[in-house]
C-alpha cells in the first residue's frame, strides 16, 4: 500500500526580475578591477589582457569615413552609449596614453610616481621573502603597507602638481572620447559588418 508523503513549503517567493541593460553602466565596468580576487600583479595582468583582447582595430577606430554629424539629440545620446560600449577598450587605452603623456611632460611628477612604485615593489619583494613590517607591535599585511605608502605619497604628489595633471587628464579624456563617441557613426559600421556576414552565409 503506497504511502503519501506531504512536504510543506512556507515562505515568500519573490520573482527575479531581469535587469535592464544599461549601456553607460556597463561601459563604466571597463575601469573596474576584479574585487573578489586579492589585488596583485597577476590580477592586473589578466585584467589588461582581457582589455587587449576586446580592443577594436585602430584602423576602424580612426576611420574618417564613419564620422558623421548626429541627426538629432536623441540619436546623439544613443550613439554615444553605443560607441562607448563598442570601443570601451580603445577608449581605455586612449586614457592610458594621455596619462603617460602627462607623466612624460611632468618630470617631477614622473619621479614621484616612480619613487612610490619603487617602494611598493620593494615591499612586494620583502613580502615574498617572508619579511614583515611591524608598527606599534602589530604586523601590517601587504595591502595595508601599500595603503600606507599611498597615503605618505599624497603630499609629494600634491607638491609635484598631481592635482592639476589629474584634472587635465580627465578633461582631455572626456573631450576626446566624447568627441569621438558623438561623431562616430556606429550604425554604418554595424551595417557593414552585417552585410559582410550575409555575404559569407551566401
Amino acid at each position: 500500500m503506497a504511502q503519501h508523503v506531504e512536504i510543506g513549503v512556507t515562505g515568500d517567493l519573490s520573482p527575479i526580475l531581469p535587469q535592464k541593460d544599461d549601456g553607460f553602466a556597463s561601459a563604466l565596468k571597463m575601469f573596474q578591477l576584479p574585487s573578489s580576487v586579492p589585488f596583485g600583479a597577476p590580477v592586473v595582468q589578466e585584467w589588461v589582457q582581457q582589455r587587449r583582447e576586446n580592443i577594436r582595430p585602430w584602423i576602424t577606430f580612426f576611420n574618417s569615413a564613419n564620422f558623421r554629424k548626429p541627426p538629432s539629440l536623441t540619436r546623439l545620446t544613443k550613439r554615444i552609449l553605443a560607441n562607448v560600449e563598442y570601443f570601451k577598450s580603445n577608449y581605455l587605452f586612449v586614457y592610458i596614453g594621455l596619462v603617460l603623456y602627462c607623466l612624460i611632460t611632468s618630470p617631477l611628477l614622473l619621479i614621484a610616481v616612480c619613487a612610490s612604485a619603487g617602494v611598493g615593489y620593494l615591499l612586494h619583494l620583502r613580502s615574498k621573502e617572508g619579511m614583515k613590517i611591524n608598527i606599534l607591535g602589530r604586523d601590517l599585511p601587504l595591502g595595508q603597507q601599500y595603503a600606507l605608502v599611498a597615503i605618505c605619497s599624497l603630499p609629494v604628489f600634491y607638491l609635484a602638481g598631481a592635482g592639476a595633471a589629474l584634472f587635465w587628464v580627465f578633461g582631455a579624456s572626456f573631450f576626446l572620447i566624447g568627441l569621438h563617441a558623438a561623431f562616430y557613426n556606429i550604425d554604418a559600421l554595424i551595417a557593414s559588418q552585417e552585410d559582410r556576414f550575409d555575404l559569407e552565409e551566401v
Side-chain angles (χ1 to χ4, degrees):
M1 186 174 181
Q3 295 180 354
H4 297 280
V5 179
E6 296 182 357
I7 301 176
V9 178
T10 59
D12 297 330
L13 298 177
S14 56
I16 301 177
L17 300 177
Q19 298 179 352
K20 293 183 179 180
D21 185 13
D22 190 345
F24 181 74
S26 60
L28 290 179
K29 293 180 180 178
M30 68 180 179
F31 295 103
Q32 298 177 356
L33 288 172
S35 58
S36 59
V37 184
F39 183 80
V43 177
V44 176
Q45 292 175 1
E46 180 181 356
W47 182 77
V48 172
Q49 182 63 28
Q50 291 177 354
R51 300 306 167 194
R52 291 183 61 183
E53 292 175 355
N54 294 331
I55 200 170
R56 307 295 180 178
W58 290 105
I59 297 179
T60 303
F61 183 79
F62 290 110
N63 188 4
S64 59
N66 289 333
F67 285 91
R68 293 289 186 275
K69 180 181 178 181
S72 63
L73 183 61
T74 303
R75 188 59 205 161
L76 173 63
T77 304
K78 294 181 179 179
R79 176 184 289 185
I80 291 176
L81 294 177
N83 279 323
V84 170
E85 174 64 24
Y86 187 81
F87 291 112
K88 54 186 177 182
S89 293
N90 299 73
Y91 291 148
L92 175 61
F93 280 92
V94 169
Y95 173 79
I96 294 175
L98 291 174
V99 171
L100 294 178
Y101 172 80
C102 185
L103 291 177
I104 293 174
T105 55
S106 303
L108 187 59
L109 181 59
L110 179 61
I111 294 174
V113 171
C114 291
S116 179
V119 173
Y121 181 70
L122 291 177
L123 293 176
H124 174 70
L125 294 180
R126 289 171 61 92
S127 177
K128 289 181 64 175
E129 295 175 357
M131 303 176 64
K132 299 181 180 180
I133 295 181
N134 187 286
I135 296 180
L136 300 177
R138 182 174 179 269
D139 292 336
L140 291 182
L142 186 59
Q144 294 183 4
Q145 296 177 27
Y146 287 155
L148 184 60
V149 172
I151 293 174
C152 295
S153 301
L154 288 179
V156 180
F157 289 159
Y158 176 78
L159 295 176
L166 190 63
F167 279 110
W168 182 88
V169 170
F170 282 155
S173 301
F174 182 81
F175 176 77
L176 293 178
I177 293 175
L179 192 66
H180 183 276
F183 287 94
Y184 194 92
N185 187 13
I186 189 68
D187 294 334
L189 177 62
I190 295 177
S192 63
Q193 291 179 349
E194 290 179 350
D195 293 341
R196 191 183 305 113
F197 180 75
D198 293 339
L199 291 176
E200 290 177 355
E201 282 189 340
V202 174

